[in-house]
Amino acid sequence: MCTNIVYEWLKTLQLAQYAESFVDNGYDDLEVCKQIGDPDLDAIGVAVPHHRRRIHEAVRRLKEADETAAGLYFTLEPQP
Protein backbone atom coordinates (compact mmCIF):
# COMPACT_ATOMS: atom_id res chain seq x y z
CA MET A 1 0.00 0.00 0.00
CA CYS A 2 1.30 3.44 -0.82
CA THR A 3 1.68 6.00 1.93
CA ASN A 4 -1.03 8.65 2.00
CA ILE A 5 -2.49 11.19 4.40
CA VAL A 6 -5.04 8.74 5.84
CA TYR A 7 -2.28 6.22 6.55
CA GLU A 8 -0.24 8.93 8.30
CA TRP A 9 -3.30 10.04 10.27
CA LEU A 10 -4.08 6.50 11.39
CA LYS A 11 -0.41 5.94 12.19
CA THR A 12 -0.45 8.90 14.60
CA LEU A 13 -3.50 7.28 16.24
CA GLN A 14 -1.56 4.00 16.43
CA LEU A 15 -4.22 2.43 14.22
CA ALA A 16 -2.29 2.00 10.97
CA GLN A 17 -3.56 -1.58 10.68
CA TYR A 18 -6.85 -0.14 9.39
CA ALA A 19 -5.31 2.03 6.64
CA GLU A 20 -5.83 -0.39 3.77
CA SER A 21 -9.43 -1.01 4.78
CA PHE A 22 -10.08 2.74 5.05
CA VAL A 23 -8.78 3.32 1.53
CA ASP A 24 -10.59 0.24 0.15
CA ASN A 25 -13.85 1.69 1.53
CA GLY A 26 -13.30 5.11 -0.06
CA TYR A 27 -11.82 6.93 2.93
CA ASP A 28 -8.73 8.09 1.09
CA ASP A 29 -8.50 11.68 2.32
CA LEU A 30 -9.19 13.49 5.57
CA GLU A 31 -12.17 15.42 4.19
CA VAL A 32 -13.98 12.12 3.63
CA CYS A 33 -12.79 10.80 7.01
CA LYS A 34 -14.53 13.72 8.74
CA GLN A 35 -17.84 12.07 7.82
CA ILE A 36 -17.08 8.74 9.53
CA GLY A 37 -19.75 7.39 11.85
CA ASP A 38 -20.49 4.05 13.47
CA PRO A 39 -21.91 2.40 10.31
CA ASP A 40 -18.73 3.40 8.46
CA LEU A 41 -16.53 1.90 11.16
CA ASP A 42 -18.58 -1.30 10.93
CA ALA A 43 -17.99 -1.42 7.15
CA ILE A 44 -14.28 -0.69 7.57
CA GLY A 45 -13.99 -3.45 10.15
CA VAL A 46 -13.13 -1.44 13.25
CA ALA A 47 -14.73 -3.58 15.95
CA VAL A 48 -12.51 -2.88 18.98
CA PRO A 49 -14.39 -0.35 21.17
CA HIS A 50 -11.34 1.68 22.23
CA HIS A 51 -10.18 1.89 18.58
CA ARG A 52 -13.60 3.21 17.61
CA ARG A 53 -13.47 5.80 20.41
CA ARG A 54 -9.98 6.87 19.32
CA ILE A 55 -11.17 7.35 15.73
CA HIS A 56 -14.32 9.24 16.79
CA GLU A 57 -12.19 11.56 18.95
CA ALA A 58 -9.76 12.15 16.08
CA VAL A 59 -12.66 12.92 13.71
CA ARG A 60 -14.00 15.41 16.25
CA ARG A 61 -10.57 17.10 16.37
CA LEU A 62 -10.44 17.27 12.56
CA LYS A 63 -13.84 18.97 12.50
CA GLU A 64 -12.81 21.41 15.24
CA ALA A 65 -9.64 22.30 13.34
CA ASP A 66 -11.83 23.11 10.32
CA GLU A 67 -14.08 25.35 12.39
CA THR A 68 -11.06 27.19 13.79
CA ALA A 69 -9.53 27.65 10.35
CA ALA A 70 -12.82 28.73 8.75
CA GLY A 71 -12.38 32.25 10.10
CA LEU A 72 -8.94 32.62 8.57
CA TYR A 73 -8.18 33.58 5.02
CA PHE A 74 -5.16 34.68 3.09
CA THR A 75 -4.72 37.10 0.26
CA LEU A 76 -1.97 37.36 -2.29
CA GLU A 77 -2.71 41.01 -2.98
CA PRO A 78 -0.19 43.50 -1.65
CA GLN A 79 -1.33 45.52 1.34
CA PRO A 80 -1.59 49.33 0.80
Side-chain angles (χ1 to χ4, degrees), residues 15 17-18 41-42 45-56:
L15 298 171
Q17 68 268 31
Y18 297 112
L41 294 179
D42 291 339
V46 182
V48 180
H50 68 275
H51 290 181
R52 293 171 76 95
R53 280 192 301 272
R54 209 179 303 166
I55 291 168
H56 281 306

Side-chain angles (χ1 to χ4, degrees), residues 14-71:
Q14 299 178 347
L15 298 171
Q17 68 268 31
Y18 297 112
E20 187 171 349
S21 189
F22 265 67
V23 173
D24 288 349
N25 283 280
Y27 297 94
D28 55 356
D29 69 46
L30 294 181
E31 286 302 313
V32 177
C33 288
K34 290 176 192 172
Q35 307 307 315
I36 290 175
D38 283 321
D40 306 300
L41 294 179
D42 291 339
I44 292 167
V46 182
V48 180
H50 68 275
H51 290 181
R52 293 171 76 95
R53 280 192 301 272
R54 209 179 303 166
I55 291 168
H56 281 306
E57 178 63 24
V59 167
R60 185 188 61 76
R61 286 192 309 265
L62 285 174
K63 290 177 180 178
E64 284 178 357
D66 265 6
E67 291 170 6
T68 302

Side-chain angles (χ1 to χ4, degrees), residues 1-19:
M1 185 182 100
C2 64
T3 302
N4 70 16
I5 191 70
V6 174
Y7 170 78
E8 294 299 327
W9 178 63
L10 289 167
K11 193 167 117 178
T12 65
L13 300 174
Q14 299 178 347
L15 298 171
Q17 68 268 31
Y18 297 112

